[in-house]
Every structure is written in C-alpha cells, then in structure tokens.
Amino acid sequence: MNSAFATPTASLDDPFYYLTNFRFVLEWVGQRHADLLAQDELTFLDRFATLPRASQALLARMVMRKGELFRVSKLNYVEIGDTAAALAPLLALGWVNDNPALSGEELFNQLRLAELRQAMAGPIRNAGLGASTGKAVLKTSLSAQLSEVKPLAQWWPAAPEAIVRLEVMAVCDRLRLMFFGNLRQDWAEFVLTELGLQRFEKVAFTNASRAFHRRDEVDAYLALHRLRVRLEEGEAIESLSLEVPPVPDNAWLATRRARLLLHLGREAERSGQAELALNCYAKATSSEARVRQLRVLERLGRHAEAFELATHAYDSMPNETEAQALGRLIPRLRRKLKMAAEPAAAEPACTRWDLVLPGPQPVERGVALHFATPDAPVYYSENTLFTGLFGLLCWPAIFAPLPGAFFHPFHNGPADLYRDDFVARRRERFDECLAHLESGRYRQVIHDTWQAKYGLASPFVHWPLLDESILELALECLPAEHLRACFERFLIDLKANRAGLPDLIQFFPDAPSGESRYRLIEVKGPGDRLQDNQRRWLAFFHQHAIPVAVCHVRWLNAPETP
C-alpha cells in the first residue's frame, strides 16, 4: 500500500517534543518492521507504550544522550519532574540498572578528580601520590587496582549518589538502525526538521521500501558496524580481519563490507603489515582497493604480479578514477619489467592564464574581481552550478520512490545513490528528464522545480549558492548540448564526477551570435596543482569544446616559482 511519508507533529514549544519523536520511531518500526523483530524487542515496544509519560520521557532522554552510564543527579529535567518516580518503572522492568558493575575506565569517566581522590584515597596513599596528582597520572599509577569490575558502592562506599546504566541501548540502536537504515543519523534529525533548518522531499512509501527485509541483514549491518568501531578504538587488525563475515547476498551490505575491508587494509598498510593489507584489499574488490593493492605490490617489488593484475583491471572497463590511476601505474611497471613502452596519450591542451594579484587574499575572490565586469559577471560555481542544474532537471528521477531508495521521512537523497545500479534502475526516468534538453523545455522545467522545491534537502542542489540571479543567467547562457554532455558524465559515476568542476564561471549574456556566452575558470593559487578529478574534467571539456581556462595566480612581489 502506498502512502506519503508523514513526519511527527511535535513542536519545540512542547517540552516533550523529543518524546513525540521517539514514539514516532518506535511506532514506525513496530508497524512496518514487526516481522524482523525478536520477541524481546516486540515486548519492549508494547511495554514502553504502557509506561507513564514521565518514565517514557526519561528513557528517551537517556537513549538520546551519549553513553549508557548516568549519574542520577544529571537526570534532572524540569518537564519530567521527580527523577526517582520516573525511574522506578524503568528499574522494575530491568531497563535501567541502579547498581551496575563499573570498570576502572568507567569509574574514571564518571567521577570528577576530587571524587576520585576520595574514592581511591587508600590506593593513592599507598602509591605515594601527592594531593595535586592529576587524573591522567592517577589512572596510570593505579592501573593494577583499576583492573577490577564492581559496583560503585564497592569502589566508593561513601558515594553520595548513584550511577545507573541504561540496559536497553542495544535494542534502541537496532530500532534506530531499522528506521534510518544507518547508524550515522541520530535523533537530532527530528530537531533540525522542527527548527526548519532541514526540510525533506515527501516520497511515496511502499511495503517494499524498507532498509532491511530480513533480520539477518540487520544482524550483518550491526556486525560490520561493531568491527568498524573496534577498529577505530585501536583493536588489532589481524583479529578484526578474521571476523569479517562472508559476502552477504545483499548489494548494499556487500558495499559496506567492502568499505570495512578497505579501512582494515589502509590501517594494516600504515602499520607496515603489507601482506595483511594485500589480503584485505583483495577481499574488498572495490576500485579503490584494487589500486591500493597494486601500489603495495609495486612497493614490495612484486612487479610482474602487479602488472598482471593491473592489465587485467584495465581491460575490465574500470571507472574513470581507476583508469587514470592504472594509466600511470602500468607504464611504471613496464619500465621496471624492462618491457617496451607504449605510446603515451598526450594530455589535451588547455587555455592557461598567468595572473599576478596583490595578496595574499582569497584566490578565487581575487580572480573573480579581476575578470568580472558589469556586463560579464563572475560567480563561484565549483561543484554547485552544474550539479544543481542536474539536480533540478532530474529531480523526478532522483526522488523516484523505488524499493530500497526511501524508507523514512528524513532522506537527503535516495539511500542507493552511490550503488552501482542506481542509474540503471532509473535509466528510463533519467532519459525522460534529459529529453527536455532536446525539446527546449528544460529552462521552464528547471525554473519550475527551483520554485517548487526551494529549500528541500537534495544531494545535488545547494540552495544558498544557486539563487535566482545565477539560475537565470545559467539558463540563458549555457547551451543545452553542454548541459547534456555534463549530465551524462555525472550519470557515469555520480560519486566521483560530481567533484572536480572549475571554481568560477563567467557569463557573457550580450555576446554576439555564434560566440560562447560563458567560460569556466579553474583557479590555482601559488603552489597549487591540478587534482586528478580536475584533470579528468578538463579533458572532458576539451573533448566537448566546452570553454574553460586554468588561471595560475601568484602574488605581487612574490618570488617566481620554478
């Protein structure tokens, strides 16, 4: 059954607005994902609904805060009132533990320095530590005594207040994951929405539009997430790499697994564990991992092995980013293997300007002021103008309500935006949008979308940098065939090709017929060089006769750069 996303109706004037948001998530997951919930999770949803409002609010407050341990004095909220009364039902259910065992690390995190000196007075005295000893030194010096895990009353019998532990955080994190489809987004999404700082496109929702369709998919996501957290906490890469699960039967989760293996490989490489890095990169099977694997093999002197893998990758139709890296790597390997060199492809010629400006100053601003005239304004456009026009023209394709694309009301864009099949699943819709460029309707379509959707979150449209004045000039001066070429290049690799576009654009609305009515300007300050993605765009512009120049700036009276 199709239905439009409905957002919670809480107002920030309501002191319980956060509880409304929390209830919304629980009800959403309970209604749409009940088949993926275990009995204890279903019981949690049922029992939460029967709690007094104050207890519901206190639990929501704790869930939305950082960590699972809380000093009771820090759980004082005006709208909730008596903390002990609100806490009692949560203690009775076992959702909060009022006598949790604390590790030494947790004890040090919860107590202030003066409190630690009281709690650990005996060990401090026995260690001969002075009264002014800081927290870090105390922690190091008392490490042997801190190896125990025990309740606060045993650490400090005279403790003036209790520390409680939230015992349902894992359940709440699972519910949040099933709602958002990730653990990156948190409860603050609701607050930003209610403040008007973020507004989202309303997309029709179907039963097929869920982040997860099987419980084991949720389990696999959580397992990958825990491995990533343990990596960030410094756990040994060798043990973590052995726990990476096999490739799941889910393209989205397979991508997350590949990303984890890439991170493991990079950490192994940094720590000098080359063989482990190679193993992780080989299992990742992503383009970035392949390039890193080849570079490690090259550093190890395994040139023949690297050459075989590189040529195979090059023959397998890699994306532009990988092809560019292979195009540099393969000639080096040929030289090291004493093989005949293949003719190098010449880089396309590009208009170059050398400009001397007083400085230092913001270099793009200086170039813009230098070239701008009343009849030929210059605007900042890097990764915003062409991507914005693309986002406006192709809005219906980007926000098409396909299964697995949207599954809650707070999406900046489709969840599958950077998956390999994103464009293929929407090819017909993109073709319909791009057809407006041939019919001549694109100007009206883009303008109408700008007016209808202004301010809504979009992965391509940056509203503050796409005001009506630059929009009108762009639609007047940019030829449809140039837009079509750039938009098709975006669709080849949305993640890579949305970056690297020139810094500035200059419009010539009064240019005579037959002359270009705009030009792009890539700005390079002193010591700055073209990046790989910029070189790829410049080659593309040359191929399609799109006017562009690279402006190299040096400061007045600065020494010449060799």
Side-chain angles (χ1 to χ4, degrees):
M1 177 179 177
N2 289 348
S3 63
F5 282 134
T7 54
T9 57
S11 164
L12 292 181
D13 294 330
D14 175 8
F16 289 97
Y17 72 92
Y18 59 90
L19 178 57
T20 300
N21 297 334
F22 190 70
R23 286 170 173 167
F24 177 77
V25 170
L26 300 192
E27 291 168 6
W28 181 280
V29 174
Q31 291 172 10
R32 293 168 171 82
H33 300 80
D35 58 315
L36 306 184
L37 297 176
Q39 187 55 53
D40 63 318
E41 293 152 2
L42 292 168
T43 300
F44 173 81
L45 296 179
D46 291 339
R47 290 185 176 173
F48 180 85
T50 67
L51 287 172
R53 183 171 73 163
S55 298
Q56 289 185 352
L58 183 60
L59 183 72
R61 284 285 195 184
M62 296 171 76
V63 169
M64 294 178 185
R65 283 175 55 174
K66 184 177 180 181
E68 299 178 12
L69 289 169
F70 304 94
R71 297 170 67 121
V72 172
S73 64
K74 299 296 184 181
L75 296 177
N76 183 27
Y77 299 99
V78 173
E79 78 280 3
I80 292 175
D82 186 344
T83 302
L87 200 56
L90 304 178
L91 295 171
L93 287 169
W95 291 1
V96 175
N97 182 350
D98 62 352
N99 191 34
L102 304 177
S103 68
E105 180 81 21
E106 291 171 331
L107 182 74
F108 262 67
N109 289 339
Q110 291 297 314
L111 300 186
R112 294 181 286 272
L113 178 57
E115 294 171 328
L116 283 168
R117 287 173 177 159
Q118 295 179 54
M120 306 295 291
I124 290 173
R125 185 171 54 253
N126 294 338
L129 299 172
S132 61
T133 305
K135 204 170 185 180
V137 175
L138 282 179
K139 186 175 179 181
T140 302
S141 303
L142 303 178
S143 58
Q145 292 91 332
L146 296 175
S147 61
E148 297 181 79
V149 178
K150 53 190 179 183
L152 178 62
Q154 294 181 30
W155 284 111
W156 186 16
E161 66 169 308
I163 292 175
V164 298
R165 186 188 299 273
L166 182 64
E167 299 288 0
V168 290
M169 185 62 90
V171 172
C172 293
D173 278 345
R174 178 179 283 264
L175 297 174
R176 177 166 63 92
L177 169 62
M178 295 172 72
F179 179 78
F180 284 114
N182 62 71
L183 289 172
R184 181 186 67 258
Q185 288 176 281
D186 58 27
W187 311 100
E189 297 284 348
F190 294 98
V191 179
L192 293 172
T193 301
E194 286 151 7
L195 286 172
L197 299 178
Q198 281 188 274
R199 295 188 297 119
F200 300 88
E201 176 69 298
K202 288 182 171 60
V203 181
F205 179 84
T206 69
N207 289 335
S209 299
R210 301 196 299 178
F212 305 97
H213 295 276
R214 303 196 311 269
R215 184 175 176 84
D216 64 342
E217 293 176 342
V218 186
D219 294 338
Y221 186 106
L222 289 169
L224 292 169
H225 176 75
R226 284 191 289 268
L227 287 172
R228 180 66 185 271
V229 170
R230 289 163 60 190
L231 174 64
E232 291 171 352
E233 291 174 347
E235 195 166 326
I237 307 162
E238 302 93 324
S239 59
L240 294 176
S241 64
L242 295 175
E243 295 183 42
V244 176
V247 181
D249 183 23
N250 177 306
W252 171 53
L253 288 172
T255 300
R256 294 194 64 84
R257 175 183 180 272
R259 198 177 306 144
L260 171 64
L261 284 164
L262 176 64
H263 285 291
L264 286 168
R266 290 172 63 181
E267 288 303 316
E269 190 178 347
R270 290 190 184 109
S271 62
Q273 301 175 80
E275 291 300 330
L276 180 57
L278 288 173
N279 183 264
C280 292
Y281 290 149
K283 290 179 179 177
T285 68
S286 67
S287 61
E288 184 177 354
R290 279 192 295 274
V291 171
R292 287 185 172 274
Q293 179 187 16
L294 290 167
R295 288 173 177 162
V296 173
L297 288 171
E298 183 184 20
R299 285 200 300 273
L300 293 175
R302 292 157 61 174
H303 301 137
E305 185 180 350
F307 182 77
E308 182 179 354
L309 289 173
T311 51
H312 176 73
Y314 197 83
D315 293 338
S316 301
M317 302 294 291
N319 61 38
E320 289 183 352
T321 305
E322 186 178 359
Q324 186 178 42
L326 293 172
R328 292 171 176 165
L329 183 64
I330 290 174
R332 290 203 307 270
L333 293 172
R334 294 183 72 92
R335 289 195 299 272
K336 290 171 181 177
L337 292 169
K338 302 190 183 307
M339 300 170 67
E342 292 185 343
E347 284 205 8
C350 182
T351 301
R352 173 180 173 131
W353 299 332
D354 290 289
L355 186 62
V356 179
L357 294 175
Q361 62 172 305
V363 66
E364 291 90 354
R365 178 178 177 275
V367 172
L369 290 174
H370 178 83
F371 286 109
T373 69
D375 298 326
V378 178
Y379 292 88
Y380 176 80
S381 62
E382 181 184 12
N383 306 329
T384 59
L385 179 57
F386 281 86
T387 54
L389 296 174
F390 168 80
L392 292 171
L393 181 66
C394 298
W395 194 281
I398 294 166
F399 287 95
L402 300 185
F406 299 94
F407 33 82
H408 63 75
F410 305 104
H411 278 283
N412 289 313
D416 61 338
L417 181 62
Y418 295 131
R419 270 180 33 191
D420 290 342
D421 61 350
F422 175 79
V423 175
R425 296 177 70 203
R426 299 161 175 80
R427 186 70 251 191
E428 186 175 339
R429 289 178 169 86
F430 277 115
D431 288 342
E432 291 172 358
C433 295
L434 297 180
H436 295 311
L437 292 163
E438 274 72 45
S439 70
R441 292 195 64 247
Y442 70 97
R443 294 184 180 90
Q444 190 63 48
V445 170
I446 289 175
H447 188 269
D448 290 349
T449 305
W450 186 89
Q451 289 192 317
K453 306 296 184 181
Y454 188 87
L456 296 183
S458 163
F460 297 103
V461 185
H462 303 277
W463 300 107
L465 297 175
L466 192 63
D467 63 25
E468 199 158 12
S469 60
I470 188 173
L471 181 71
E472 296 301 334
L473 274 171
L475 293 178
E476 180 183 355
C477 297
L478 298 176
E481 60 270 23
H482 290 180
L483 293 176
R484 176 79 190 227
C486 291
F487 294 173
E488 288 287 6
R489 185 167 189 268
F490 288 151
L491 293 176
I492 292 171
D493 188 340
L494 281 168
K495 187 173 184 178
N497 292 342
R498 63 182 300 168
L501 288 151
D503 300 289
L504 305 173
I505 187 168
Q506 184 167 24
F507 295 111
F508 305 100
D510 301 323
S513 177
E515 293 187 13
S516 178
R517 304 179 74 188
Y518 80 102
R519 66 182 173 195
L520 300 168
I521 306 171
E522 176 62 43
V523 179
K524 289 296 162 192
D528 197 6
R529 296 182 179 180
L530 289 170
Q531 303 300 309
D532 283 348
N533 55 359
Q534 295 170 334
R535 292 181 184 277
R536 292 194 296 270
W537 269 114
L538 292 173
F540 173 84
F541 294 145
H542 178 78
Q543 178 186 354
H544 292 274
I546 293 175
V548 64
V550 179
C551 183
H552 293 267
V553 176
R554 67 179 179 87
W555 305 131
L556 188 66
N557 299 324
E560 291 281 355
T561 302

